[in-house]
Amino acid sequence: MLSQVVQYFQTNSGQYWQYVGQHLVLTVITLAASMAIALPLGYWGARVKPVASFCVAFAQVLRIIPSLALLFLLIPVMGTGTLPALIALIVLALPPLLINTILGFNEVSPLYKEVGTALGMDRRQLRRQIEIPLALPYLLNGIKLALVEIIASATLATYIGAGGLGTLIFTGLGLYDMTYVVIGAVSVAALSLGAMLGFDFLIRKVREHDNSSDSI
């Protein structure tokens, strides 16, 4: 198996990096679009309880939809290709972003806001200097969970012609060649693990900074 993997990279390294690039582009675009939707909506939900209730219920409904089922549901409406894959992945990424955004802003102590108001801060300054920094660990955790979900689910997007590392996995399954499956699966797992460890490190640093600021 190892020799077959080495031989694949010797003869198809360009193709492999093309798949990696497709996977990363799909992931980055999906994450950016998901954040653009979920972060403002989650912040609004943290301030308005009915909106929060709707967002949580909406997120719970989205969580029970299987990734592959969602992809296939979009085929009759939008056909195949990158666009339906992006829409499906955005829908799958919204739940962790919404829930963690609402949780993060709800966890900001009113005492900090009162102190900021007493110092003469307006609503924009309170949001920028108090609310967002204190909610940041939760926001980053939501982004981390969404990113891992996107990287894993983007593998299935190959089914509708979006490319990516899933091409290797499904090619291997079709050819009964485990070399392709192993290369694709390990690559996706490595990307997911790298994203998770990177965000865990970033969250830890943010919390250490917050703790040091509180002690001062």
Side-chain angles (χ1 to χ4, degrees):
M1 174 66 73
L2 181 59
S3 61
Q4 292 172 317
V5 171
V6 172
Q7 183 180 4
Y8 171 84
F9 280 105
Q10 288 176 340
T11 57
N12 299 285
S13 60
Q15 184 186 61
Y16 171 79
W17 289 113
Q18 181 182 356
Y19 292 147
V20 172
Q22 291 173 348
H23 207 94
L24 291 176
V25 168
L26 197 62
T27 298
V28 170
I29 294 174
T30 301
L31 183 62
S34 303
M35 289 171 60
I37 297 169
L39 297 184
L41 187 59
Y43 177 75
W44 187 28
R47 300 179 65 87
V48 183
K49 287 187 178 180
V51 176
S53 300
F54 170 79
C55 288
V56 172
F58 179 66
Q60 295 298 336
V61 170
L62 292 181
R63 279 181 167 178
I64 66 175
I65 301 177
S67 306
L68 193 57
L70 184 58
L71 287 167
F72 279 119
L73 285 173
L74 289 174
I75 292 178
V77 179
M78 304 190 66
T80 60
T82 303
L83 183 59
L86 282 171
I87 293 174
L89 291 173
I90 288 169
V91 171
L92 293 170
L94 287 177
L97 284 169
L98 280 173
I99 291 175
N100 280 274
T101 301
I102 294 171
L103 178 62
F105 284 109
N106 280 337
E107 287 295 314
V108 177
S109 173
L111 178 62
Y112 291 106
K113 299 179 186 179
E114 291 174 6
V115 172
T117 303
L119 292 174
M121 292 183 181
D122 58 25
R123 180 174 293 181
R124 181 178 298 180
Q125 290 172 319
L126 285 173
R127 181 171 61 248
R128 187 177 65 251
Q129 299 181 31
I130 294 179
E131 291 180 325
I132 292 177
L134 292 177
L136 189 57
Y138 296 92
L139 303 182
L140 290 174
N141 189 56
I143 295 171
K144 178 190 75 173
L145 295 174
L147 182 56
V148 172
E149 175 73 28
I150 293 167
I151 292 172
S153 298
T155 307
L156 300 175
T158 299
Y159 261 128
I160 59 174
L165 289 166
T167 306
L168 286 170
I169 297 174
F170 294 119
T171 298
L173 292 174
L175 297 175
Y176 299 100
D177 188 340
M178 290 304 296
T179 302
Y180 291 93
V181 176
V182 168
I183 293 172
V186 170
S187 298
V188 172
L191 287 175
S192 298
L193 182 61
M196 186 170 60
L197 293 177
F199 270 91
D200 282 341
F201 175 79
L202 185 57
I203 292 168
R204 187 166 60 250
K205 289 298 182 182
V206 169
R207 283 178 172 158
E208 288 174 358
H209 179 268
D210 289 343
N211 292 334
S212 63
S213 298
D214 290 341
S215 63
I216 295 174

